[in-house]
Amino acid sequence: MFGTYLRRELANRRRQTIIIAVGMALAIALVIVVNAVAAGVQNAQATALKSIYGVGTDITITEPVTAASAGGQQFQFGSGAGRTSGGTRTIGGSRLRTDFGTQTFAATTVAKAAATPGVKAATGVLSLSNTTFSGQLPGGATGGFGRSGATPRPTGGPDGAGGSAFGITRVSVLGYDVGGATIGPLTAATLTKGRSLTAADAGKDVAVLDSDYATSAKKSVGSTVSIGGKTFSVVGIVKSTSATGSSASNLYIPLDTAQNLAGDKGDVSSVYVEAASADQIGTVKTALQQTLGSTMTVNTQADLASTVSGSLSTTASLASSLGLWLSVLVLAAAFLIAVLFTVSGVNRRTREFGTLKAIGWSNRRIVGQVAGESFVQGLIGGAIGVVIGIVAIVIVNMAHPVLTASAAAAGRPAGTAAGGFGGGSGFGGGGLGRAFNQVASSASSIVLSLPITPAVFGIAVGLAVLGGLIAGAFGGWRASRLRPAEALRSVA
Amino acid sequence: MYELERVSKTYRQGGRPVAALVDVDLTIADGEFVAVQGQTGGGKSTLLQLLGALDKPTSGTIRLGEADLGRMGASELTRVRATQIGFVFQSFNLIPTLSAQENVETALAPTHVDKRERRDRAQEALESVGLGDRVAHLPSELSGGQQQRVAIARALVKQPQVLLADEPTGALDEDTRGEIVGLLESVWKDRGLTLVVVTHDSWVAHRAERRIHLKQGRVTEKAAAKV
Ligand SMILES: Nc1ncnc2c1ncn2[C@@H]1O[C@H](COP(=O)(O)OP(=O)(O)OP(=O)(O)O)[C@@H](O)[C@H]1O
Ligand SMILES: [Mg+2]
C-alpha cells in the first residue's frame, strides 16, 4: 500500500514533485561544483608549488633580504666603450647577479640542514638573474650609469627626439647540485631533448634550458647562450611536468659554475629539504629553525601555499568564501521550498488525510506516507543534482581554465619585472625609449581540473535526503494534527 | 450496540461555546437500521462523529459494546475505527490518485492482512457492490453513484459491526439515490450489521426501522415506522 500510494501521489502531483526535486537538484549541483572547485584549486596550488619548488620538497630554507644587500643593478661603461657611428654610440652588456629579492648565505647551511634529525635530503640552489643590456646612446654621453643620478643628461639620439633606445632582457638562471640531487626544482621537469647535467658537468659552462624559454629565445641543444659574459653550450631542454606552465627557471647550470660566475663563492640562495616522513614535517621544521637560528626563514609547503598569488589564489578565496555562502544560501532556499510545498500539499489534502484517519489509519502511518513522499522527492532531487554536478564539472574541465600562480615568498627562484632597472635616475630626462623584453617569467600557469570525488557526491545526496526528511517532518507534523472529523466537512 | 448517556458536545468557536449536542440519551440495538434527521446545524454530523469514534464527547458516556469510547486514547480510537466501524461520506472521499481496487485496499492497510488477501478481499467487496468490472478505474473515471459504491465497498471490506453514513445520497440524483439506498439496505440485511444513516431526505429516512430527529442538539424520537 505504502509504495503504491507513494508512487501514485508523486506521479499525480508532478508539479510539486518537480519543483521540490529541481530546487534540491540545483542546490546539490552547486554544492558539488563548489566543492570540486575548492578541491581543484587545492590541487592546482600543490602543482604550482611543485613546479616552483620541485617534487618531494617538504621544507625550504631561505634568508630574508636585508635592505643593504638589495642594491640595484648597475652597468658600468667606460667613456670609450661601445661602437660609435654617426654620432650614436651602441653599447651593450651582460650582468649576472643573485636574483632580486634573494639573499645568499653560506652553503654550510645545506650540510647543517642535512644533519638535522628527520631530514632525509637537503640540497642547495643559487638563483641568479642574468640581465642583458643593449642600446644606443647619443654620441656625447659618457658612461657611468647607476644610482648616482649625477650622470650628464643624454642629448639627442637615434630616435631623433633626443632620447636613447635600450633593450633589457632578463633571464633567470638556477645553479643546482648536479651531483645527483633527488629534490629541487628540476624534479618537477622532464627532459625533452639532449641530456641532463651530471656530476661530470660540475664547474663546466654547460646549461639546460626550460622549453618555453628555449622556444622564445630560439635556442636548442647545441646552441650557445651568454651568461654573465661567458658562453655556455646548451646540452638539454626540460619541460615542466604540469600540463601548462614553465619550469622554475629559464636556465639551469651547475651550482659551482653559478657560484663562480656570481662571485658568491660557496653561497646558495635556497635550501630544499625533504623530510623522512610526511607526518614529521612539523617537527623537522622546528628542529631546523633551532639549528639554523631565527635569522633563517624555514617554510613548509603549507606555509608556502599561502604565498601563492595570482588568479589561482583569487579562485581559491572565491571558492572558499563566496562558494561556501552561496551553497549554504541556495541549500537553505531549497529546503525552504521543499518545506513550504510539502506543507501546502498536506493542506490541500486535508480531506484525504482526514478520510484515511476516519477509516482507521494511524497518525504514524500518515506521517510515514507524507515523509516517504518527501524523502523520495529529495532523493530524485539529489540524483538530478549529481547528474547536473557531473555535467558541470565535465564542462569546466573541457574548457581548460588556466590559472596563474606566482610565489611571492622571499627566495623564489624566478624574478619579476621588479628591480629591472637599478637606480634608474641616471636616465631621468631625454625621452628614454624603454624596450623591456621581459622573457623571465615567475608566474606558472596551471590548468584548473575539477576532481570528481565520490565522497562529495555521497554528502550531496545525503543533504538532498536530509532536505526531504525535514520537509517530510514538517508536512507529517501538519498531517498528524488534522482531526479525523475533517473528513466529514462537506465539499472541498 | 450503542448506549449514549447524557452526551453533550460543545465546540468553541472564536472563544464562544457552541452546543452541538445537549444531553443526548440514546440506545441503538445490534443490527438496527436508524435514520437521523433534522434541520441543518441540528447536530447530526456531530452525533455521527461521536458514534464513529472520530471525536470524544465533552461530557457523558458513549458505549460501543462494552467499550467506553469517551475514555479511550487516540490510538485505541484509531483501532476501533480500523476494525469495527465503516464510514460512508456525502462526497465519497475516495483518494483521487488511487484506483477503485486500491481505494478499497486502504481500509485494510491498518489491519495487517497480507497483500494477496488484501487484494482478494478488495476485489470481492467491489464485486459485492456490483463493480467487479471497474476495479482499475480511478475515481475520476467513475460516475457519482459508482464512486459511492466504491466508498461502500471500502467501508465493508473490513467487515465492520457498524456502518455509519453521513448524507450518503446527498450528492446523487434521484435514480442513483434509490440504487445506493437499496445497496445499503441489502448489506444491512445480508450482513446483519448496525446501520446509522444521517439524511435530510425523508424518502431515505422512511426506509429505516427507526427515525431520530435532532433539533438544536436535542433528540426527539418519532414513532418507529417499519417499512
Ligand atoms: N468543528 C466545529 N467547530 C465549531 N463548531 C462546529 C464544528 N462542527 C460543528 N459545529 C457546530 O455545531 C453545530 C452542529 O453541527 P453539525 O455539523 O453536527 O450539524 P448537522 O446537523 O450535521 O448540519 P448539516 O445538516 O448542515 O450537515 C452547528 O451549529 C455547527 O456550526
Ligand atoms: Mg452534517
Side-chain angles (χ1 to χ4, degrees), chain A residues 145-166:
Chain A
F145 294 91
R147 358 189 54 192
S148 67
T151 318
R153 290 182 163 200
T155 50
D159 58 357
S164 316
F166 297 95

Side-chain angles (χ1 to χ4, degrees), chain A residues 193-195 207 209 218-225 231-237:
Chain A
K193 267 187 213 137
R195 61 173 182 87
L209 266 55
K218 300 189 182 66
K219 302 281 185 194
S220 187
V221 175
S223 312
T224 57
V225 287
T231 303
F232 281 69
S233 48
V234 178
V235 297
I237 308 282

Side-chain angles (χ1 to χ4, degrees), chain A residues 347-365:
Chain A
N347 286 342
R348 253 182 290 118
R349 290 158 76 186
T350 295
R351 201 151 65 105
E352 180 174 325
F353 291 132
T355 303
L356 289 170
K357 286 188 182 187
I359 66 171
W361 279 43
S362 64
N363 261 338
R364 237 183 75 203
R365 186 176 294 274

Side-chain angles (χ1 to χ4, degrees), chain A residues 1-2 4-9 12-13 349 351-363 365 483-492, chain B residues 11 45 48-49 52 54-55 78 81-82 85 87 89-93 95-99 102-103 105-107 109-110 112 118 138 154 158 166:
Chain A
M1 198 74 252
F2 174 80
T4 314
Y5 189 19
L6 193 150
R7 250 192 346 267
R8 296 298 174 79
E9 285 302 320
N12 281 281
R13 296 176 203 278
R349 290 158 76 186
R351 201 151 65 105
E352 180 174 325
F353 291 132
T355 303
L356 289 170
K357 286 188 182 187
I359 66 171
W361 279 43
S362 64
N363 261 338
R365 186 176 294 274
R483 297 186 325 119
E486 299 283 353
L488 283 97
R489 284 261 168 89
S490 44
V491 192
Chain B
Y11 293 107
S45 295
L48 207 66
Q49 283 169 31
L54 298 181
D55 213 342
T78 299
R81 293 199 295 268
I85 296 163
F87 233 108
F89 308 90
Q90 177 173 355
S91 37
F92 327 133
N93 294 11
I95 310 298
T97 57
L98 296 179
S99 70
E102 288 153 359
N103 262 288
E105 285 186 37
T106 57
H112 302 296
R118 205 168 65 202
L138 288 175
R154 177 176 66 184
K158 66 179 99 161
D166 195 357

